[in-house]
Amino acid sequence: MIELRVRNHPGAMSHITGLFARRGFNLEAILCVPEGDGTASRILLLVANEPRLEQVERQLAKLYDVLAVRHRPDLGPEFFLQLAETTMGGSPPPTNPWRPRD
Amino acid sequence: MTKHNFLVRTAAELTEIVPLAFRLAESGRPGPVAIDVPKDVLNARVKVTAWPEPGHAAPLPPCPGELIDALAKKIAASRRPILYLGGGVITAGASELALELARRASAPVVCTLMALGAVPPDDPLFMGMLGMHGTKATNFLLEEADLLLAIGARFDDRATGKVAEFCPRAVIAHLDVDPAEIGKIKAVSLGLVGDAADILRLLLDRLPSQHRPAWRARAAGLRAAHPLIHPPRAEDPLHPINVCRLLGEVLPADTIMTTDVGQHQMWVAQAYPVRRPRGLLTSGGLGTMGFGLPAAIGAALALSEVEGLAAPGRRVACVSGDGSILMNIQELATLAELNLPVAVLVFNNAHLGLVRQQQELFYGRRYAASRFQSVPDFAAVARAFGVRGVRIDPDGDPLTDLAETLADPGPCVIDLPIHEMANVYPMVPPGAANRQMITDTELQPASTHA
């Protein structure tokens, strides 16, 4: 799982997803929510962990609209599965990935 | 195609976006930035109290001194070092420093297509272009290197051939302005991020002179043993290698050469001596046919604006092919309008030559869509635009005619009939290691050579 902090405006998402598409790298799951006053967003990307992922991350870091790139090893694929079951099957929601830790 | 693009939503944003776009375009690896201005924004009126400061390149963080120390140690400890220069050396204005480093370290220099001109072509350490259409000497020498110092180069597949077998005996040090390039294709033992000129200056401060007579002699020996193979001028004056060599003789040393993309581009890279940085403007990784003529017009315009450089007789030459020139031939109207000293040389083989060459060598001579059934009369086309047009007669004294045509001032288009089936050699087959070059003589006996 990769977490991005990005500028929130039209076109930002297409810059990011376009980079993955051009490199033939699949995005398994994606979550994007605005933060604070809405000038920035946080994005969670579920991606396959293969060697060329590092190059994708470096290219992401070069995008003007991407403010920060970091790994989220604490979140796995079950996060998105739980989210899908919440919205479609009435299961309890997953833990907020950005809740301040105690 | 662009480093970034902005979609402007309100006119007020433009005072921020325009300087920012210039900052992004000029920072790091320079490149274009697009600003998309919708019609309602274009027509809007805004009040501005002060103009924003123009945008300039953001300063680069300095490279840590201990990495430069480590690089100096690696160079000193190596026995067979090679400098592998890319276009970044020219962009950084670091060509002279790179040459000084080569001399200090007794390191032969190989260049990518984009780095040609960084090192004088007659320098004893210059090994020419590496890779797919590099000489055998260059690619063989790379096999023997124990240290490869890449500067502003990106290990493109045209340069490396089969990556796993590129420079098999060398440890690699890589100096680049873009951190994403370090280790992207080949694992490196040392990566330095920053401005090439700054880093090379600091490196030279701490690098003593090193004599490697055996290694220098090995490079010179390989060069002497494996020159470019082509028929002699008297026998075949319009062989493209002979034409490029003649251009090197008759064009002034400060000529700016531009090319399109294809066989003619590789012949220029192999045989035309690019004598200074930015002396060759060509489309590298993007391989943009149609680049040459607009680039030549741009270069001639820039020269005419720099006082003192627009010396009489100074020329911009655009070597193109009969395929490439058709991509932007409408720019002959611009050339006629501006009356700039641009000579367009069309290497005319009535084919998309590099496509045809690949079909011949790697697709069992199953030619498809690579031959022009109808070839325009380019001299007549030029005249129709109001530009002097000349077709060189292959049966007379074509090189004298060519030299005389180039000596006349003003814009011109010169149509040069070359062999339809001439190939660019040596050639590394796609996917093969660089040492597995094929050459003309291996394909056909010397006796049947045209």
Side-chain angles (χ1 to χ4, degrees), chain B residues 197-245:
Chain B
D198 288 347
I199 294 175
L200 289 181
R201 228 173 266 121
L202 293 168
L203 178 64
L204 286 166
D205 283 345
R206 53 194 91 183
L207 191 73
S209 195
Q210 290 146 20
H211 308 284
R212 297 185 170 91
W215 182 227
R216 279 173 175 262
R218 177 65 181 149
L222 278 172
R223 261 202 319 270
H226 302 287
L228 274 182
I229 296 170
H230 61 96
R233 181 179 283 188
E235 191 183 299
D236 191 356
L238 283 183
H239 188 280
I241 295 290
N242 289 329
V243 174
C244 291
R245 292 251 161 86

Side-chain angles (χ1 to χ4, degrees), chain B residues 344-365:
Chain B
V344 181
L345 298 105
V346 181
F347 282 25
N348 188 344
N349 56 7
H351 280 83
L352 296 171
L354 210 50
V355 176
R356 192 207 58 72
Q357 174 170 343
Q358 300 248 353
Q359 290 172 349
E360 176 188 341
L361 299 178
F362 310 118
Y363 292 89
R365 303 191 187 205

Side-chain angles (χ1 to χ4, degrees), chain B residues 4-337:
Chain B
H4 187 68
N5 61 292
F6 290 99
L7 175 62
V8 184
R9 287 181 291 172
T10 65
E13 288 173 13
L14 280 166
T15 55
E16 277 178 40
I17 286 178
V18 172
L20 179 56
F22 277 98
R23 180 162 73 79
L24 292 177
E26 292 182 18
S27 300
R29 287 163 88 172
V33 172
I35 305 175
D36 187 348
V37 183
K39 184 66 163 64
D40 57 337
V41 173
L42 181 70
N43 284 0
R45 283 171 177 272
V46 279
K47 275 213 160 106
V48 204
T49 48
W51 290 113
E53 285 295 307
H56 294 295
L60 292 162
C63 178
E66 54 274 24
L67 289 179
I68 302 173
D69 289 336
L71 179 57
K73 282 204 186 86
K74 265 192 196 304
I75 294 171
S78 76
R79 297 174 59 201
R80 297 181 303 278
I82 291 182
L83 300 192
Y84 157 37
L85 305 185
V89 167
I90 291 174
T91 310
S95 303
E96 283 182 22
L97 292 162
L99 179 60
E100 174 58 27
L101 172 61
R103 289 175 175 159
R104 186 84 60 85
S106 294
V109 180
V110 304
C111 285
T112 66
L113 175 66
M114 301 310 286
L116 292 174
V119 171
D122 49 3
D123 192 281
L125 287 166
F126 180 62
M127 295 296 293
M129 188 170 67
L130 80 160
M132 183 175 272
H133 294 297
T135 65
K136 283 189 156 185
T138 311
N139 287 333
F140 286 156
L141 192 73
L142 285 162
E143 295 277 312
E144 299 177 15
D146 67 355
L147 172 68
L148 184 74
L149 172 55
I151 308 176
R154 61 192 176 90
F155 294 79
D156 175 59
D157 62 334
R158 298 297 165 108
T160 63
K162 188 176 182 181
V163 174
E165 293 176 39
F166 178 62
C167 294
R169 292 166 187 83
V171 294
I172 295 174
H174 193 175
L175 194 169
D176 207 284
V177 74
D178 180 356
E181 286 299 330
I182 309 288
K184 182 182 79 174
I185 304 290
K186 286 285 267 188
V188 298
S189 71
L190 191 60
L192 296 88
V193 176
D195 177 73
D198 288 347
I199 294 175
L200 289 181
R201 228 173 266 121
L202 293 168
L203 178 64
L204 286 166
D205 283 345
R206 53 194 91 183
L207 191 73
S209 195
Q210 290 146 20
H211 308 284
R212 297 185 170 91
W215 182 227
R216 279 173 175 262
R218 177 65 181 149
L222 278 172
R223 261 202 319 270
H226 302 287
L228 274 182
I229 296 170
H230 61 96
R233 181 179 283 188
E235 191 183 299
D236 191 356
L238 283 183
H239 188 280
I241 295 290
N242 289 329
V243 174
C244 291
R245 292 251 161 86
L246 179 95
L247 292 177
E249 291 162 24
V250 301
L251 291 171
D254 59 358
T255 297
I256 293 178
M257 171 67 75
T258 77
T259 78
D260 272 301
V261 172
Q263 287 181 317
H264 68 272
Q265 180 188 32
M266 291 299 107
W267 283 315
V268 166
Q270 290 178 330
Y272 174 78
V274 186
R275 295 193 178 91
R276 41 176 232 162
R278 300 183 198 271
L280 174 66
L281 306 179
T282 191
S283 175
L286 291 177
T288 310
M289 292 170 74
F291 175 88
L293 177 54
I297 292 171
L301 269 178
L303 285 178
S304 70
E305 289 193 1
V306 182
E307 207 180 351
L309 281 181
R314 174 112 194 231
R315 265 213 178 282
V316 177
C318 165
V319 170
S320 184
D322 53 298
S324 281
I325 194 66
L326 287 174
M327 295 280 177
N328 264 327
I329 200 159
Q330 79 285 351
E331 293 307 325
L332 287 177
T334 314
L335 183 57
E337 199 172 292

Side-chain angles (χ1 to χ4, degrees), chain A residues 29-76:
Chain A
I30 184 164
L31 170 73
C32 178
V33 285
E35 65 168 27
D37 61 356
T39 57
S41 301
R42 283 186 188 277
I43 298 179
L44 283 179
L45 300 170
L46 180 62
V47 291
N49 188 16
E50 45 179 297
R52 61 204 175 103
L53 179 61
E54 190 195 339
Q55 184 57 216
V56 176
E57 288 175 36
R58 289 186 189 185
Q59 296 296 335
L60 279 172
K62 280 166 67 175
L63 291 179
Y64 170 68
D65 285 329
V66 172
L67 304 170
V69 183
R70 67 172 179 139
H71 280 260
R72 286 299 300 266
D74 56 315
L75 296 175

